[in-house]
Structure formats: structure tokens, C-alpha cells
């Protein structure tokens, strides 16, 4: 490696050295020819020319060396102009690469530098745009429940209720809106934690089947209240792997609640768990209103919510972070989250890598 670097560094030096040698010999030859021609013409002219030998040799050498090295000088000027253009902010400009020596590599590195600066600036702009979208999304989604809470409190403060039943309804609606607001703030906090570079997983040896059973035990009563039947297929052999149980539970719960919100009522949500030698797969399937290709492509984007007509009446919609949070959690575990959608049939497949342990470990 060192030898290659040394050769690269010396290539243009050798070129300049050869130009110097060529210029030297050409100067000697031309000076001698001129002196010989002067001798043939006149002895007096030859004697006069003899005093001008050194200046004539120097002039010929400088002129010849300049002619031989003018391309190198021209390419150096091109590099200087290119750097000047890029330094003035035109990062789309690229220096022409016309050589294969050190100057050519300098041109390539200048172009690479400009490209990386472009990418860095584009990344910073994307981060800034992302922050603005985050602020805009938060403001929009928090405004609705907060406005409702203020409205109900204003009615209660001014005693604008007709009966005890209406009073209790105002209180209950205010409480529901406050819970909804807290839920969205929890989603936002979880999302910011997951997208932070300092996110750490508390990995423990977990039986995925048992974790799923516990989540479904809590989910089934909610599903029944909303006209949804839960069909589950969980095998007896335990599937052990290293997980942050709290975060994975959050991801699965988000997927279950998404299926509940957007299922046709009455309907069925099917949950199935399978495994192979290296992965565990949890499939959550439901039927709902079909999505367009554009809606399907954007489904995992943060703050993305499809047409409110898809949402189930009576179930509060969130901030559009649930699926994004689920995907981030699963990817942090080295897993995958995919959606198979066809004609209103939705099947989310959660894949998690398996760490094999003894089957009798609980």
C-alpha cells in the first residue's frame, strides 16, 4: 500500500523532471544549430553569437519547458477555478477530470467533496423539514382534544348544563378527551425516544407465545365491546428470544388496536404465531375498507392517517404514530414489519429473530 502511494505521488514529479530533461537537450541542440548556422554565415557573427550563448540557451530552455508544461499549468488553473466556483456555493459544479495522475485524483476528490457537501446540506434540510412537520403534526393533532376539553370546562364553569345527566356527560367527555390527549402525548414521547440515537433496549429472555397470550387476554374484552371476535392460533411449544418486553408489547398492542379501529364491524381479528429455525412470525389479520396504493405506501409514515371514514365510530383516533412506533421498535430488535393487503384484507406480519434456548425454560 505504501509503495502504491509513493508511486502515485511521484508520477507527476517524474513528468516534470522529464520535461526539464527534454527542454535541456532541446536547448543544447537548438543553441548548437544556431551557432553553427552563424559560423557558416560569417565568422564575425559567430563570434558575436558566442557571447549570447547563455542567454540564448536560457531563453530556449524556458520557452521549451513552458510549452511542454502548459497543459499541467492549464489543468492547475482549471482546478483553482473549480474550487473558487464551489467555494462560492455552486455545489452542482463539477471539475472536469481529464488526467489520470495526481491532478486527476485531485479533481475527483474535489468533485467528491462537493457531492458530500450537497448530501450533508440535503440531509440537514431534511432534518429541518422533518422537525417542522413534527411540530405541525403535533400542533394539529393536539389542538382538537385540547379545544374540546376547554369547551367542556367552559360549559361546566358557566353552569351551562340542563340536568345532572348532562353534567355527568360533560364530565365524562372531558375525561375521555383528556385520556385521548395523554395517549397522543405518550405516543409522541415514545416516538422521540425510539428515534433518538441514545435508545437502549432492556433485553431479556422472553417466551414470545406467553407474552402474546397476556396481551390478547387484555385485548379480547375491548374487542368484544366493539363487535370484534378474536381468533387466535398460538402453538404450545414456547418460542424464546431476547426482547425488550415492554417495547415489543407496545408494538404488538399498537398493531392490535390498529386492527380493531379499522376492522369492519362486526368482524374478526385473527392472530397467529409461527416460527422457523431463525425467526418468529406474528401475523395479525383483519378485514376493512380497501386502501389505495398511495395510502398503503404511506401507512408506516409518522403522522399519516388515512381518511377518517375508515375509522370506527366511538374509537378515538391517535396522532398517526402507532404503526411508525411499532415498526421502529421491531427494527430496533433486528426484526421486520410488513403489510400484505389485498381487496380490504389486511395482514401485518411481525418478524423477530430467535435466540434458541432450552424448551423447558420459562
Amino acid at each position: 500500500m505504501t509503495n502504491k502511494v509513493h508511486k502515485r505521488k511521484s508520477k507527476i514529479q517524474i513528468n516534470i523532471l522529464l520535461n526539464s530533461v527534454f527542454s535541456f537537450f532541446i536547448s543544447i541542440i537548438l543553441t548548437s544549430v544556431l551557432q553553427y548556422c552563424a559560423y557558416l554565415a560569417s565568422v564575425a557573427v559567430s563570434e558575436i553569437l558566442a557571447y549570447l550563448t547563455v542567454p540564448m540557451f536560457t531563453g530556449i530552455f524556458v520557452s521549451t519547458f513552458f510549452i511542454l508544461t502548459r497543459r499541467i499549468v492549464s489543468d492547475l488553473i482549471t482546478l483553482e477555478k473549480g474550487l473558487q466556483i464551489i467555494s462560492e456555493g455552486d455545489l452542482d459544479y463539477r471539475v472536469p477530470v481529464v488526467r489520470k495522475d495526481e491532478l486527476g485524483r485531485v479533481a475527483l476528490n474535489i468533485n467528491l467533496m462537493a457531492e458530500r457537501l450537497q448530501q450533508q446540506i440535503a440531509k440537514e434540510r431534511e432534518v429541518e423539514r422533518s422537525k417542522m412537520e413534527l411540530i405541525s403534526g403535533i400542533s394539529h393533532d393536539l389542538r382538537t382534544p385540547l379545544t374540546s376539553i376547554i369547551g367542556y370546562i367552559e360549559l361546566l364553569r358557566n353552569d351551562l348544563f340542563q340536568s345532572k345527566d348532562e353534567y355527568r356527560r360533560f364530565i365524562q367527555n372531558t375525561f375521555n378527551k383528556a385520556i385521548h390527549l395523554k395517549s397522543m402525548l405518550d405516543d409522541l414521547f415514545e416516538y422521540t425516544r425510539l428515534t433518538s440515537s441514545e435508545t437502549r433496549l432492556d433485553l431479556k429472555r422472553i417466551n414470545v407465545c406467553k407474552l402474546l397470550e397476556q396481551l390478547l387476554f387484555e385485548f379480547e374484552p375491548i374487542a368484544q365491546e366493539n363487535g370484534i371476535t378474536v381468533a387466535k392460533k398460538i402453538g404450545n411449544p414456547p418460542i424464546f428470544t431476547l426482547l425488550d418486553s415492554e417495547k415489543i408489547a407496545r408494538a404488538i398492542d399498537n398493531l392490535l388496536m390498529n386492527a380493531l379501529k379499522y376492522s369492519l364491524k362486526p368482524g374478526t381479528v385473527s392472530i397467529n404465531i409461527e416460527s422457523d429455525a431463525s425467526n418468529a412470525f406474528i401475523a395479525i389479520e383483519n378485514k376493512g375498507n380497501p386502501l389505495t396504493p398511495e395510502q398503503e405506501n404511506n401507512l408506516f409514515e409518522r403522522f399519516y392517517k388515512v381518511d377518517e371514514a375508515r375509522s370506527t365510530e366511538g374509537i378515538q383516533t391517535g396522532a398517526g404514530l402507532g404503526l411508525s412506533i411499532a415498526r421502529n421498535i421491531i427494527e430496533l430488535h433486528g426484526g421486520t414489519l410488513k403489510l400484505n393487503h389485498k381487496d380490504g384484507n389486511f395482514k401485518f406480519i411481525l418478524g423477530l429473530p430467535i435466540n434458541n434456548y432450552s424448551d423447558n425454560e420459562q
Side-chain angles (χ1 to χ4, degrees), residues 90-108:
D90 186 2
L91 297 180
D92 291 322
Y93 181 80
R94 295 293 179 266
V95 178
V97 181
V98 294
R99 304 176 66 95
K100 295 183 179 179
D101 56 10
E102 288 79 6
L103 292 182
R105 284 189 289 276
V106 169
L108 285 172

Side-chain angles (χ1 to χ4, degrees), residues 97-162:
V97 181
V98 294
R99 304 176 66 95
K100 295 183 179 179
D101 56 10
E102 288 79 6
L103 292 182
R105 284 189 289 276
V106 169
L108 285 172
N109 287 331
I110 290 172
N111 292 340
L112 182 61
M113 176 194 68
E115 185 176 344
R116 287 179 176 173
L117 282 172
Q118 265 188 320
Q119 292 173 352
Q120 183 65 28
I121 291 172
K123 185 177 179 181
E124 290 175 359
R125 287 176 179 170
E126 177 62 24
V127 169
E128 189 64 28
R129 186 185 66 82
S130 181
K131 287 179 180 178
M132 294 305 296
E133 285 183 355
L134 183 64
I135 294 170
S136 176
I138 293 169
S139 302
H140 178 270
D141 287 316
L142 298 184
R143 185 185 298 116
T144 302
L146 188 57
T147 301
S148 296
I149 291 171
I150 293 171
Y152 282 120
I153 291 176
E154 185 68 19
L155 291 173
L156 294 169
R157 189 169 69 92
N158 294 318
D159 296 328
L160 297 176
F161 50 88
Q162 303 298 322

Side-chain angles (χ1 to χ4, degrees), residues 83-265:
L83 279 171
Q84 180 67 26
I85 292 171
I86 292 172
S87 68
E88 290 174 353
D90 186 2
L91 297 180
D92 291 322
Y93 181 80
R94 295 293 179 266
V95 178
V97 181
V98 294
R99 304 176 66 95
K100 295 183 179 179
D101 56 10
E102 288 79 6
L103 292 182
R105 284 189 289 276
V106 169
L108 285 172
N109 287 331
I110 290 172
N111 292 340
L112 182 61
M113 176 194 68
E115 185 176 344
R116 287 179 176 173
L117 282 172
Q118 265 188 320
Q119 292 173 352
Q120 183 65 28
I121 291 172
K123 185 177 179 181
E124 290 175 359
R125 287 176 179 170
E126 177 62 24
V127 169
E128 189 64 28
R129 186 185 66 82
S130 181
K131 287 179 180 178
M132 294 305 296
E133 285 183 355
L134 183 64
I135 294 170
S136 176
I138 293 169
S139 302
H140 178 270
D141 287 316
L142 298 184
R143 185 185 298 116
T144 302
L146 188 57
T147 301
S148 296
I149 291 171
I150 293 171
Y152 282 120
I153 291 176
E154 185 68 19
L155 291 173
L156 294 169
R157 189 169 69 92
N158 294 318
D159 296 328
L160 297 176
F161 50 88
Q162 303 298 322
S163 62
K164 275 285 186 183
D165 288 340
E166 192 171 51
Y167 172 81
R168 283 192 290 268
R169 182 165 60 83
F170 286 174
I171 292 292
Q172 185 62 45
N173 288 344
T174 304
F175 177 77
N176 291 341
K177 294 296 181 181
I179 294 298
H180 184 206
L181 186 60
K182 180 181 181 299
S183 176
M184 287 196 293
L185 289 171
D186 288 343
D187 281 347
L188 178 62
F189 178 68
E190 184 67 23
Y191 179 81
T192 54
R193 278 203 312 171
L194 291 171
T195 53
S196 169
S197 58
E198 299 178 357
T199 302
R200 297 289 182 270
L201 296 177
D202 182 18
L203 297 176
K204 294 180 181 178
R205 190 167 47 186
I206 301 294
N207 181 352
V208 183
C209 296
K210 188 173 181 181
L211 176 63
L212 186 57
E213 284 278 13
Q214 292 173 345
L215 292 172
L216 291 177
F217 179 77
E218 298 172 2
F219 175 71
E220 284 182 284
I222 303 172
Q224 289 173 3
E225 289 177 6
N226 288 276
I228 294 296
T229 302
V230 177
K232 56 185 178 180
K233 184 180 178 183
I234 302 174
N236 290 325
I239 303 172
F240 286 96
T241 189
L242 290 175
L243 299 174
D244 185 320
S245 59
E246 182 181 344
K247 284 186 171 57
I248 286 293
R250 178 68 180 270
I252 296 173
D253 186 64
N254 284 1
L255 293 173
L256 291 172
M257 292 306 297
N258 181 78
L260 175 61
K261 289 176 184 178
Y262 300 116
S263 288
L264 296 176
K265 310 296 190 299

Side-chain angles (χ1 to χ4, degrees), residues 219 222 228 250-265 268-269 284-289 291 299-300 304-306 310-312 315-318 320-324 326 337-339 346-348:
F219 175 71
I222 303 172
I228 294 296
R250 178 68 180 270
I252 296 173
D253 186 64
N254 284 1
L255 293 173
L256 291 172
M257 292 306 297
N258 181 78
L260 175 61
K261 289 176 184 178
Y262 300 116
S263 288
L264 296 176
K265 310 296 190 299
T268 301
V269 174
I284 299 174
E285 190 171 1
N286 70 288
K287 286 189 177 294
N289 294 321
L291 296 179
L299 204 58
F300 289 100
Y304 181 77
K305 290 182 284 188
V306 296
R310 287 191 69 236
S311 64
T312 302
I315 300 178
Q316 303 266 23
T317 56
L321 290 171
L323 292 179
S324 181
L337 178 59
K338 298 178 181 179
L339 168 63
F346 298 86
K347 187 176 184 180
F348 288 90

